[in-house]
Structure formats: structure tokens, C-alpha cells
Amino acid sequence: MTRNSAQNRRLDVLRAIVTQYVATREPVGSKAIAAGGLGVSSATIRNDMAVLEEAGLIYQPHTSAGRVPTDRGYRVFVDRLAELKPMSGPERAALETFLSESVDIDDVVERSVRLLAQVTHQVALVQYPVARARLLKHLEVIDLAPGRLLVVVVTADGEVGERTLSFNAPLGDGQLREARELLRRHCDGATCATAQACVDAATASARPELVGTVAAIGTALTDVLSGQSESKIVVAGAANLARGALDFHDIAPVLDALEEQVVLMRLFAEADQGDDLHVSIGTENPHDGLSETAVVTGTYRAGSDESDGSAHLGIVGPMRMDYARTMSSVRAVAAYLSRYLAQQAHS
């Protein structure tokens, strides 16, 4: 027998151990693998299991027990997955129907995270789309008190930003109206990339006694347009994790980690590798509390254009999970979110 054929057979043994252990949560023995139709004897399988154990891919939890995958074993299994289990026709139709009833971005995100938790039986995470470049829709300047102004900026996406300004001397109604209209005329439709040039043009055309006022309001305007939205991640399905507590030595650190948005952001940062799917297993995860978990993340596009950026979604669960099905579900929901947001961008 060639070396390659022996290696392939051992990978088949590893695949059988992972598949059976995921299904039963019971250590897997050579007889069970042989009964699965591998085409070799139990003795040969035991020899292969010894090699896999020496390589750190499986281990024996106690004497006379079968074998269980290690995190390295799960990694080899995932890296060699030939294909993902596609969602069935009825499952995909149900997904499309459920998500198509969304009325806005908040609704589609909430529906997506609940759906992922339901179909994977794990904890689901969905990051809100990264905000597209803010486009100025309306500028308002309100006189709060002598020498104090409130600058209100409304973007095309419906965001409202406010800045308060203080001046040494009060402004007359006519001066305030003139400064506001000057900025509106020059900066209508401005973005963070063009705002400063628009403000400079408005300032240059202002009467000398209004230059300081126009410049100050313009600074508030550019500040709002260039500001970054706080990233937000929605979580669902924590009860699924609790029901699988037997897969963890201690589930408390996992639950603690899932409550920290900064930890979840680090998980998604790890996924920024150009792939539509990313799997991190065990100690590959960036937080000690997740060292007994597997994390499957996907990427979806936040609009119809490359410049719109992207956001992430995924699941967190025990290493003992159905990777093929979970990865397929994450990919399907990510694809739907990309289509939904592209349609929204054109509507």
C-alpha cells in the first residue's frame, strides 16, 4: 500500500470519528468505524487511530474508551471538508420567506440572528452593516441662547448628528440665517470626503464678519459626516449553548465572553481574510473564554458597491458541531443579507 493511500485512509478514519462523535457525543471505537463501511479491518483501524493519536488529532478520554477528536483534529477535518451540506429546497424557501418579510435593516438583522440560532442550534451573532459614507441631506442651525448654537446634521440614511457651538458674542437672526443658507448652498449632498472642500468654498464666499461663524458651523458639519458609527452586534440563542453545557468543562467563561462586545468584534476581525467563510477552533480563538468553542463566521456586503464595505455574522458553539451544515447555513444567510442590502441601495 502506498504512503498516500495510507494517509487518505487515516483521514477517512478521522472523518468517521468526528462525524460519529458529533452525532452521539460518545467516544468512537474501531468496531463502530469498521461497521460504517470503511472497507478495512478493525485491527487496521486501530493502527490508524494510534497514528492519529500520536499526531495529536484524537485522544482517549479514559482507558478502554473509544477516541475523541482534539481541536487540532477538528481543524484537519474542517480544512479537508470536500463539500458543504446544502440547505434543502424547503429549508431555503423557508429562509427566503422569513427574511423577505423584513421591513427595515433592524428587522432583517433581528430575523437573521434568530434564524441562524434556530437552524444551527448554536449561539448566533450578526453585526450591523458598517455605515456607508454619510451623505448630507439637511443642515439646521438653531439659536439656543445668546452666543450658543445647535448644529443639526441629517444624513440620507436617516442618522442625526448634533454639535453645540459657543461664540463670544451673540449672532443676529439675519447673520445666522445667512451663514446657514451659505453652507446649505455649497454643501448640499456633501460626504465626509467632500465636506471640507464645500465648507472652504462657503467660507471663502462669506462676508468678512461671517467668516468665523461659517467656518465654525462648517467644522461641526464635517465632524458629524466623518464620525464613525459605533459597531453593534446582535446575539441570539444563548439557551442553545446552555443546553449543550456537557460539551464544556465550564460554560461560564463562554457566556461571559459572549456578553463583551469587544470580544465579539475581535472574533469578527479575525474573519477579515478575504474568504466568505472563516472557522476558528479551540485555542485558535482570540479570547481564553472561547478556547473550548468553535466559531464559524461569514461576510456579507453592506450595499451594492465595493465602497459600501462589509459586515459579519456567525455562530459560536462547542467544537463538537456539524461543521458542514453550520457553514452552509452561515453562508446562505450571509448571501441573503448581501442581496437584501443591495436591493435597499437601489430602492
Side-chain angles (χ1 to χ4, degrees), residues 13 68 89 92-93 100 122 184 188 294 298 303 306 336:
V13 171
V68 171
R92 187 171 292 277
S100 66
Q122 312 291 357
R184 283 180 176 176
D188 182 46
E306 291 281 341
Y336 183 88

Side-chain angles (χ1 to χ4, degrees), residues 182 186 196-206:
L182 193 60
H186 282 86
Q196 189 58 57
C198 297
V199 169
D200 290 345
T203 304
S205 64

Side-chain angles (χ1 to χ4, degrees), residues 176-201:
L176 183 59
R177 185 166 51 251
E178 184 178 347
R180 180 188 62 204
E181 294 306 319
L182 193 60
L183 283 161
R184 283 180 176 176
R185 186 166 64 250
H186 282 86
C187 297
D188 182 46
T191 67
C192 60
T194 63
Q196 189 58 57
C198 297
V199 169
D200 290 345

Side-chain angles (χ1 to χ4, degrees), residues 178-242:
E178 184 178 347
R180 180 188 62 204
E181 294 306 319
L182 193 60
L183 283 161
R184 283 180 176 176
R185 186 166 64 250
H186 282 86
C187 297
D188 182 46
T191 67
C192 60
T194 63
Q196 189 58 57
C198 297
V199 169
D200 290 345
T203 304
S205 64
R207 292 187 292 115
E209 59 268 31
L210 288 180
V211 167
T213 302
V214 172
I217 297 172
T219 297
L221 169 63
T222 57
D223 185 49
V224 171
L225 290 179
S226 62
Q228 296 296 313
S229 296
E230 182 180 353
S231 187
K232 181 181 176 183
I233 297 174
V234 182
V235 182
N240 291 330
L241 199 66

Side-chain angles (χ1 to χ4, degrees), residues 263-292:
V263 172
L264 304 184
M265 290 306 302
R266 285 185 64 194
L267 284 180
F268 284 147
E270 293 286 310
D272 277 326
Q273 303 186 20
D275 297 329
D276 61 343
L277 283 176
H278 179 72
V279 182
S280 55
I281 300 171
T283 55
E284 296 171 353
N285 289 309
H287 190 283
D288 290 342
L290 300 176
S291 61
E292 291 187 78

Side-chain angles (χ1 to χ4, degrees), residues 105-219:
I105 185 60
D106 293 313
D107 195 21
V108 77
V109 168
E110 290 288 347
R111 285 172 176 265
S112 296
V113 76
R114 293 204 320 267
L115 181 68
L116 263 182
Q118 289 168 6
V119 299
T120 64
H121 306 295
Q122 312 291 357
V123 178
L125 319 169
V126 177
Q127 179 185 22
Y128 265 74
V130 176
R132 290 171 287 177
R134 290 181 175 88
L135 180 72
L136 177 64
K137 181 178 181 180
H138 182 68
L139 170 67
E140 189 57 73
V141 185
I142 301 170
D143 190 0
L144 295 177
R148 283 177 60 79
L149 299 179
L150 176 66
V151 179
V152 181
V153 177
V154 182
T155 72
D157 287 335
E159 288 186 75
V160 178
E162 299 179 349
R163 299 291 186 273
T164 302
L165 303 179
S166 297
F167 295 88
N168 292 328
L171 296 171
D173 290 342
Q175 291 178 306
L176 183 59
R177 185 166 51 251
E178 184 178 347
R180 180 188 62 204
E181 294 306 319
L182 193 60
L183 283 161
R184 283 180 176 176
R185 186 166 64 250
H186 282 86
C187 297
D188 182 46
T191 67
C192 60
T194 63
Q196 189 58 57
C198 297
V199 169
D200 290 345
T203 304
S205 64
R207 292 187 292 115
E209 59 268 31
L210 288 180
V211 167
T213 302
V214 172
I217 297 172
T219 297

